[in-house]
Structures are given as structure tokens and as C-alpha cells.
Amino acid sequence: MQFEFNFLMFLRENISNPILDKIMIFITSLGNGGLFWIVLAFIMLIFKKTRKTGVFMLIALALGYIMGNLLIKNIFARARPYLAYSQPIIIPPPSEYSFPSGHTLSSFSAALCILSYKKHFGVLAIILATLIAFSRMYLFVHYPTDIIGGILLSLFVVFLSKILLNKIYSHKEIKKT
């Protein structure tokens, strides 16, 4: 954990500045509660061409929330770095535990869903997910392993979601005939 703290302090001491602080606060807010990704998924539901991607995202976001926020965070009960090391932060203090990063989990889950259907938009979504994940370390509310855990869990969640999505859509096709 010392390496992780040193990395966070390196960010704070060498990269942090008032302009970047404002940018990172904005970027991290895009991941709050997965709301950006949820709204995007519902917008995708409106259009037939993107409906399946929207359903895929909603399944992944729901599974990610259940597995990450409700189960794993409470099992590990890892204190956030600003609490563990008594460091000030510039955003409202998050109320949940640290591992895995929920912002990272929801962002990468949604971005990977988009990437699997729309490559060019998926790349943009992955870039945004990466910025959101980085912002969580920059703002001293997650350790690097929280971010890695969020990304790895998102891979698993998207895998499970794809299985569920295929079952839903294959069931729909059977009903049509």
C-alpha cells in the first residue's frame, strides 16, 4: 500500500494545479452514480439501431452495481486513501468503501459495451472511462488497485452481460416465430 500512497502523492505534488483540479472535478462528476452512462443507455434505447447496445449497457451497469458496490465493496471494506492517510480532498467525501472503484467499474462496463458494437464511439467511450478512472486517483479518493479492480470487474461484468443479452435476444427471436 505504500507504493500506492506514494503514487497518489506523486500525482498530488507534481501534477495537481488549480486548473486541472477543476477539470478533474468535472470529469469525475460524469461518473457519479453511473448517471452519464445510464442516460446514454436510455438515449440509445430510443433508436432501433442502438437499442441492443443500450440494453447491453443497462444490464452491465446493473450487474456492476450489484457486484461491485453492494457486494465487493462491503466484503473488502477498504478505507479510501484520503481517510487512511488523513489527506484533504476537493470534492465531497464519498460515502462508500474504496475497492473497487465504482466510477471505473461503471465507466469501463459501459464503454466496453459500446466498443463491442460501435468501434469508433467505443474508443471515445474508453478514453472518457480512462479519464474518469484517472480523476479518481488524482482526487485522492481511490488507490491504483481500486482502479485496476474496477477495470477487471468490468471485463467480467460485460462478459456476463453479453451472455444475458444473447439469451434475451435469442428468446425474443424464438417468440417471433
Side-chain angles (χ1 to χ4, degrees):
M1 290 230 335
Q2 190 60 43
F3 166 78
E4 293 191 279
F5 173 71
N6 291 342
F7 177 75
L8 296 177
M9 287 306 293
F10 173 82
L11 293 178
R12 178 161 280 184
E13 293 169 355
N14 296 290
I15 297 174
S16 182
N17 66 67
I19 293 171
L20 200 51
D21 288 355
K22 288 182 183 0
I23 293 168
M24 289 296 150
I25 290 169
F26 172 74
I27 289 171
T28 212
S29 73
L30 294 174
N32 289 351
L35 191 59
F36 173 81
W37 304 107
I38 293 167
V39 169
L40 183 59
F42 276 108
I43 291 169
M44 290 177 148
L45 291 177
I46 296 169
F47 306 100
K48 188 172 184 170
K49 189 174 178 182
T50 58
R51 189 167 296 141
K52 192 172 184 179
T53 307
V55 171
F56 189 17
M57 287 171 64
L58 290 173
I59 293 169
L61 290 166
L63 282 178
Y65 179 76
I66 292 165
M67 293 173 75
N69 290 52
L70 297 181
L71 296 175
I72 296 172
K73 276 185 188 277
N74 291 307
I75 290 168
F76 282 90
R78 185 181 197 187
R80 291 185 180 267
Y82 75 91
L83 289 171
Y85 294 98
S86 300
Q87 293 291 314
I89 58 173
I90 58 174
I91 60 171
S95 59
E96 296 177 323
Y97 292 115
S98 189
F99 181 83
S101 167
H103 279 68
T104 302
L105 172 57
S106 63
S107 297
F108 273 90
S109 294
L112 290 168
C113 291
I114 295 168
L115 184 66
S116 72
Y117 284 101
K118 305 287 179 197
K119 301 292 183 230
H120 52 288
F121 289 121
V123 169
L124 294 175
I126 293 289
I127 290 169
L128 178 57
T130 302
L131 289 170
I132 290 170
F134 178 79
S135 76
R136 304 305 285 168
M137 292 183 294
Y138 178 94
L139 295 168
F140 225 92
V141 293
H142 280 294
Y143 297 99
T145 50
D146 298 339
I147 302 304
I148 293 166
I151 293 169
L152 292 175
L153 185 54
S154 76
L155 292 169
F156 181 66
V157 161
V158 169
F159 172 76
L160 289 179
S161 298
K162 185 69 167 181
I163 292 169
L164 288 170
L165 181 73
N166 289 339
K167 285 185 186 273
I168 291 167
Y169 275 83
S170 67
H171 185 68
K172 270 180 79 173
E173 290 302 315
I174 290 169
K175 276 188 155 181
K176 279 184 180 178
T177 58

